[in-house]
Amino acid sequence: MFIKSLSLSILGLCLAQIALAADDASVDEPEKSNARAYRAHLLSFIWSDKMSSEQVNYQNIYQLDNIQRFTNEEDAIQSASIIDSVEQELDETSEPNPFLQYQAKMGKRVTILSNQTWPMIFEEQGSVVFEDFHSKQLFDGYPELVGKVQVKLGRYLETKVQYQHFLFDSFTAPVTQTNQTQSIIFDELDPFDQVDPFNPIQPEEKIIKLYEPALVLSFNLERKTASKKLNYLDHPIIGSLLYFEPISVDDAEHELMLQALTEEEMVRDAEASINLEPQESLDNLLNQSELNNPLEKNQ
């Protein structure tokens, strides 16, 4: 009887330890996440007239208010693709954009409009990620191609792409630009840098070409795409190659953080250039001239 009760006690202690160990394991084991991350690559190009036989009609543009335009070419380049901003931060041994080789080969026969790369994070099945893109080629600040990408995580990566391709009217406008290079700071320091009263410097007439979107082709493409496979989006005018590269969620978050920091720096630099007063600029130039001319300071 004593042995039986002792066996039951030992069995009870073993079961209690097993249950306690299971509880500890459930606490220590991190909760499994359903999040998925990919790096998307999208290469868009325009077919030449000789390679496309189907007639596609463009629509007239009557208002320019809702058409994207950049006043700074650097901002347009930075916003064209996240890799333009963060590729220096990535591993040097990796190739952040595998479509660069395709661009080099296809660029001999077709016109490459955009080569975009960006990270995507899906929290769970059914999550949807949106991304805007545009071509780097600008006509008076207007991109030739703009688009929106919508990707839904399901059994497949369900992709919808909205394209807008513009044709432009061009016209010229005379701009008067003075080629006078004198400085109000150094004129008195350099006796040889004086204006000839008998041959004054004349303003130079410079002719620049301006562009304005005149016609637009708008269309949507919807495909069930797969990761780690080259997906082709066909259209008589605009063709696209799409590739989804699986990456870790940590890598995607890191790239998104770098993108946010880059955009914040761009905004901060723009605000600094706007808030800089002319007098401050002149004072900075005067201080710089004193540093560059120690002989004058000693006198």
Side-chain angles (χ1 to χ4, degrees), residues 36-39 82 118-122 247-259:
R36 296 291 182 269
Y38 299 89
R39 187 181 292 128
I82 184 177
W118 66 90
M120 305 183 303
I121 299 178
F122 299 92
I247 60 176
S248 67
V249 176
D250 292 339
D251 289 343
E253 291 178 345
H254 178 64
E255 294 180 16
L256 290 173
M257 180 190 66
L258 293 175
Q259 181 188 31

Side-chain angles (χ1 to χ4, degrees), residues 10 43 62 68-69 79 114 178 186 190 204 254 278 284 288:
I10 295 175
L43 176 67
Y62 300 103
Q68 186 178 22
R69 186 182 186 186
S79 63
S114 62
T178 305
F186 300 102
D190 190 354
E204 179 184 357
H254 178 64
N284 293 335
Q288 188 66 27

Side-chain angles (χ1 to χ4, degrees), residues 67-77 79 134 138-143 266 270 273-274:
I67 298 179
Q68 186 178 22
R69 186 182 186 186
F70 294 94
T71 57
N72 188 311
E73 184 175 357
E74 182 179 353
D75 294 346
I77 294 176
S79 63
H134 63 82
L138 301 179
F139 294 88
D140 195 21
Y142 293 100
M266 292 168 53
S273 62
I274 294 175

Side-chain angles (χ1 to χ4, degrees), residues 43-59:
L43 176 67
S44 300
F45 55 91
I46 184 171
W47 294 108
S48 65
D49 296 336
K50 297 179 180 179
M51 302 177 69
S52 179
S53 59
E54 187 172 342
Q55 181 67 30
V56 177
N57 296 324
Y58 283 69
Q59 303 296 321

Side-chain angles (χ1 to χ4, degrees), residues 150-154 156-160 223-225:
Q150 172 185 323
V151 184
K152 180 180 179 180
L153 178 63
Y156 299 93
L157 291 171
E158 302 175 9
T159 304
K160 298 180 181 179
R223 297 289 188 275
K224 289 184 178 180
T225 51

Side-chain angles (χ1 to χ4, degrees), residues 203-260:
E204 179 184 357
E205 288 284 340
K206 184 179 179 180
I207 306 299
I208 62 175
K209 180 172 287 189
L210 304 178
Y211 294 89
E212 190 173 87
L215 300 172
V216 62
L217 174 63
S218 301
F219 62 95
N220 301 332
L221 295 178
E222 183 174 352
R223 297 289 188 275
K224 289 184 178 180
T225 51
S227 62
K228 297 190 295 184
K229 291 185 179 181
L230 185 62
N231 303 276
Y232 173 57
L233 309 181
D234 190 19
H235 187 268
I237 302 297
I238 305 297
S240 298
L241 298 177
L242 183 61
Y243 184 82
F244 294 106
E245 173 190 358
I247 60 176
S248 67
V249 176
D250 292 339
D251 289 343
E253 291 178 345
H254 178 64
E255 294 180 16
L256 290 173
M257 180 190 66
L258 293 175
Q259 181 188 31

Side-chain angles (χ1 to χ4, degrees), residues 4 15 65 96 105 107 156 163 173 200 217 255 266-267 275 295:
K4 184 176 181 181
L15 293 176
D65 298 339
K105 294 180 180 179
Y156 299 93
Y163 287 99
L217 174 63
E255 294 180 16
M266 292 168 53
V267 173
N275 296 330
L295 181 61

Side-chain angles (χ1 to χ4, degrees), residues 90-214:
L90 298 177
D91 186 3
E92 295 181 356
T93 60
S94 64
E95 295 183 1
N97 193 340
F99 280 172
L100 291 178
Q101 55 180 340
Y102 287 104
Q103 180 175 347
K105 294 180 180 179
M106 298 173 58
K108 300 177 181 180
R109 297 186 177 183
V110 298
T111 301
I112 304 297
L113 297 178
S114 62
N115 193 349
Q116 323 290 141
T117 299
W118 66 90
M120 305 183 303
I121 299 178
F122 299 92
E123 298 296 336
E124 58 185 359
Q125 289 284 327
S127 298
V128 181
V129 175
F130 299 88
E131 188 69 31
D132 296 335
F133 68 93
H134 63 82
S135 60
K136 291 184 180 180
Q137 178 68 32
L138 301 179
F139 294 88
D140 195 21
Y142 293 100
E144 181 179 357
L145 179 74
V146 297
K148 296 180 181 295
V149 181
Q150 172 185 323
V151 184
K152 180 180 179 180
L153 178 63
R155 184 177 180 182
Y156 299 93
L157 291 171
E158 302 175 9
T159 304
K160 298 180 181 179
V161 187
Q162 301 176 359
Y163 287 99
Q164 282 189 312
H165 182 248
F166 298 98
L167 300 180
F168 297 85
D169 280 340
S170 63
F171 55 95
T172 56
V175 176
T176 302
Q177 182 177 5
T178 305
N179 59 0
Q180 183 175 350
T181 59
Q182 290 183 328
S183 172
I184 60 174
I185 300 173
F186 300 102
D187 285 348
E188 297 180 358
L189 302 179
D190 190 354
F192 299 100
D193 191 8
Q194 300 293 334
V195 178
D196 185 358
F198 300 101
N199 187 21
I201 299 177
Q202 299 294 332
E204 179 184 357
E205 288 284 340
K206 184 179 179 180
I207 306 299
I208 62 175
K209 180 172 287 189
L210 304 178
Y211 294 89
E212 190 173 87

